Amino acid sequence: MRIDILTLFPEMFTGVINSSIIKRAIDKGIVQVNIHNFRDYSLNKHQKVDDTPYGGGAGMVLTLQPLVDCLKAIPNYDKAYKVLTSASGALYNQKKASDLSKREHLVVICGHYEGVDERITHYIDEELSIGDYVLTGGEIPALTIIDSVIRLLPEAISEESTIEESYTSGLLEYPQYTKPAIYDGLEVPSVLVSGNHEEIRKFRRYQALKKTYLRRPDLLNNVSLTKEDLNFLELIKKDLQ
């Protein structure tokens, strides 16, 4: 997979792409990440990339010329899937991360200031937001997107690690424990050290449903629940009364 990022602050990506899972994926040749400073493409003698908005208003708006010229300088940019980080974009989620991970070439444009000239929509495929809040720029959302996408690429991490984690199955992930079995008087649930795989499976499913019910009940509306799940939910509700 190839990922190209258009930004005014390339230094914000240096530490991330040279660390942890992303670095290992790059070293293995699983993904190629390229950072482009679109200020380098400005035709303004001061390398200006923004201007005042037509119609008046506060703040500055990113102009098209540097962005579009930078985009067109990327090999085969026209075949890439191009997204713009934007507070008004579609809400990013695990399903979208999974969809993007199947693309061969992804371009992420980091929005800034009061936004980008609306005509940028003619050059991109989608606008994405990582939440209902406003950040100083699109770099952090871009980092979120590339991290969540790269970890889903084949061989980036073990496939087993992604199967039951939060949101992949539609539920929040069940609680995890590790050694020692007792710490400061706090014990690991006995079922997890019982060796009974079926009981462990039931325990984990129950706990995933419980955590989701308590913290993100809205997610339950989008999950296909089995008869066992429905029985667990009834037990959860009774236990909480």
Side-chain angles (χ1 to χ4, degrees), residues 177-201:
Y177 300 86
T178 189
K179 299 176 181 66
I182 302 175
Y183 177 78
D184 199 21
L186 302 172
E187 297 187 30
V188 170
S190 59
V191 65
L192 295 179
V193 295
S194 68
N196 188 321
H197 296 297
E198 176 59 14
E199 290 304 311
I200 291 172
R201 181 197 67 78

Side-chain angles (χ1 to χ4, degrees), residues 1 93-103 149 152:
M1 182 183 202
N93 56 29
Q94 187 66 22
K95 182 180 184 305
K96 178 57 65 175
S98 179
D99 291 343
L100 293 181
S101 73
K102 296 176 176 62
R103 301 280 179 178
V149 166
L152 293 177

